[in-house]
Amino acid sequence: MTQPNQDTTRDRIEAELVAPLLALELDVEAVEITPAGKRRVLRVAVDKDGGVTLDDVAEATREVNRVLDESDVMGEQPYTLEVTSRGVDRPLTLERHWRRNTGRLVKLTTADGTTLTGRILTAGPESATVEVDGAEREVRYADATKALVQVEFNRPATAAEPDGDQDGDQDGDQDDDQDGDGDEITDENTDESGEDA
């Protein structure tokens, strides 16, 4: 169970990162702090329209390091920073999650306990249109208690992916995050003397 002071630290980190990462056109999707021996692991998940590239992750890592170096939020205990893309294993909870996954297959549970699997056709401010068994169904985000993107190895091309680029990364290199972990860069936090911070 997460300790209250860890929750406070996580919330402070997220608050400090939102604006600098938004300047890079990146949204902060999750901040997690977990103990790892004498160190801690700080994981920051980011996302953006069109998907996150390794270059985006590298740039975000530099910016997160800069922000944390100028802040005392992590205290003096050493930590390892991991900046990653959102990954498909995180639930769809916001409009932008649904919009960014248009064309993908999603498995969702509604407030009345119904489980559906369908393809996201469109995503508006309050609801998405999902094709379920050949019929279109409107799903209000507030009514979806759980929604997860399903990994497809032979996903059909959609209007959002005109060239048959089935992983939605706009370059056709088939680097879809099949394992759901996201693209990731890890950075050990050290101070200017080279000692662990």
Side-chain angles (χ1 to χ4, degrees), residues 17-126:
L17 293 179
V18 167
L21 290 179
L22 197 56
L24 301 177
E25 299 182 352
L26 295 168
D27 294 309
V28 178
E29 291 293 344
V31 174
E32 300 169 356
I33 304 172
T34 54
K38 294 181 179 179
R39 303 180 72 84
R40 293 167 294 169
V41 177
L42 170 61
R43 293 183 181 88
V44 179
V46 297
D47 197 15
K48 73 173 187 177
D49 287 354
V52 175
T53 66
L54 282 174
D55 287 342
D56 292 326
V57 172
E59 193 172 5
T61 299
R62 287 190 293 272
E63 188 64 5
V64 171
N65 268 323
R66 182 193 66 77
V67 171
L68 294 179
D69 286 347
E70 295 175 0
S71 168
D72 64 353
V73 67
M74 288 299 289
E76 296 185 8
Q77 184 183 356
Y79 64 94
T80 300
L81 171 65
E82 295 178 3
V83 177
T84 179
S85 59
R86 186 172 187 273
V88 297
D89 59 334
R90 294 186 182 273
L92 308 182
T93 57
L94 302 172
E95 178 272 336
R96 69 177 183 244
H97 301 158
W98 290 82
R99 174 171 41 84
R100 290 171 179 167
N101 284 286
T102 298
R104 289 186 178 261
L105 199 64
V106 64
K107 182 176 182 180
L108 62 100
T109 303
T110 60
D112 64 5
T114 304
T115 300
L116 308 168
T117 300
R119 194 166 306 281
I120 303 171
L121 300 177
T122 61
E126 296 182 4

Side-chain angles (χ1 to χ4, degrees), residues 50 102-103 155-172 174:
T102 298
R155 185 161 54 97
T158 66
E161 301 154 359
D163 298 324
D165 180 14
Q166 297 179 3
D167 61 3
D169 62 7
Q170 300 175 338
D171 58 13
Q174 297 297 319

Side-chain angles (χ1 to χ4, degrees), residues 124-181:
E126 296 182 4
S127 64
T129 303
V130 180
E131 182 181 15
V132 180
D133 296 329
E136 293 185 10
R137 178 168 177 162
E138 183 180 3
V139 177
R140 291 178 47 83
Y141 307 134
D143 295 336
T145 57
K146 184 176 183 181
L148 290 171
V149 170
Q150 303 300 290
V151 174
E152 297 177 89
F153 292 99
N154 294 304
R155 185 161 54 97
T158 66
E161 301 154 359
D163 298 324
D165 180 14
Q166 297 179 3
D167 61 3
D169 62 7
Q170 300 175 338
D171 58 13
D173 64 0
Q174 297 297 319
D175 66 354
D176 199 14
D177 181 26
Q178 302 288 356
D179 60 6
D181 291 338

